[in-house]
Amino acid sequence: MRNTDRAASGGGKDGGGAPGGRGVAGATRVAAGLGGLLGPLRRAVLRATRNAEGLPDLPEAQIELLRALSSAPDGLSPGAAANRLRVAPSTVSNLVRTMSAARLVDRIRPEHDHRTVVLTASADALKLLERYDRASTAALTRVVEELPEADRLALDQALPALDRLVAALEAGAGAGAEAGDDAST
């Protein structure tokens, strides 16, 4: 039985098997289960996405930067990109160096200030990101359709709570973006 299976079943001495686990022990069990699943889930989705479409092996951090740049029509400064991703500016600099060489990110010097740079996703990168999104949705849809109805319902019902969890984590992260946050892995 995986650790997450034990946590979900309420095994162990931290709060019994009551659904949702009340109190601190239940919150700890849920947090441990989520912590154990999030990394493997992200990697599994990315692997299934790449395999389904024969997509290049872009690291997750590069995909995140492309998402941030694609959502900013006028581009982002490196500092704004770091803030949006909640990573250190040096992490963005390293990503941009690699991604510029691969022609995924364009560095544009605005006419009004040649000392600054604005980052944009290249046209090729936007097409690649669209392929990643399409393949990811298709891969997840195939797998979710194969799950038992109860699991599909549980996942559907968990989506709003997961969205609130992301918002709470982002609100709590505040200015600590540089401490322990490494999008380059």
Side-chain angles (χ1 to χ4, degrees):
M1 183 184 274
R2 293 187 351 224
N3 289 339
T4 52
D5 292 335
R6 270 193 296 279
S9 68
K13 52 188 170 179
D14 65 346
R22 295 190 177 109
V24 174
T28 300
R29 187 175 57 252
V30 170
L34 277 171
L37 281 174
L38 292 177
L41 176 63
R42 276 192 339 261
R43 288 187 298 276
V45 169
L46 195 52
R47 206 171 20 257
T49 299
R50 288 177 185 141
N51 292 342
E53 286 280 316
L55 291 162
D57 189 13
L58 289 183
E60 187 177 341
Q62 290 185 13
I63 294 170
E64 288 180 24
L65 180 57
L66 289 178
R67 283 195 198 293
L69 295 176
S70 71
S71 69
D74 296 328
L76 294 171
S77 69
N83 286 339
R84 187 168 295 187
L85 295 175
R86 295 182 181 267
V87 298
S90 60
T91 299
V92 170
S93 293
N94 290 333
L95 287 170
V96 168
R97 187 176 316 111
T98 301
M99 295 171 75
S100 292
R103 296 188 175 133
L104 296 173
V105 172
D106 295 326
R107 297 178 194 179
I108 301 168
R109 297 225 180 257
E111 289 184 28
H112 66 279
D113 186 356
H114 287 276
R115 296 172 297 163
T116 63
V117 67
V118 174
L119 307 173
T120 62
S122 70
D124 287 342
L126 292 173
K127 290 175 190 170
L128 189 60
L129 188 58
E130 186 179 312
R131 286 181 58 208
Y132 264 91
D133 288 344
R134 199 172 44 248
S136 175
T137 299
L140 281 167
T141 298
R142 279 191 303 277
V143 173
V144 169
E145 285 175 340
E146 294 173 3
L147 292 174
E149 179 66 27
D151 288 351
R152 288 194 306 268
L153 181 60
L155 288 169
D156 186 49
Q157 290 175 341
L159 292 174
L162 291 170
D163 193 41
R164 290 188 298 273
L165 178 63
V166 169
L169 286 168
E170 287 179 347
E178 293 182 26
D181 196 352
D182 185 4
S184 63
T185 57

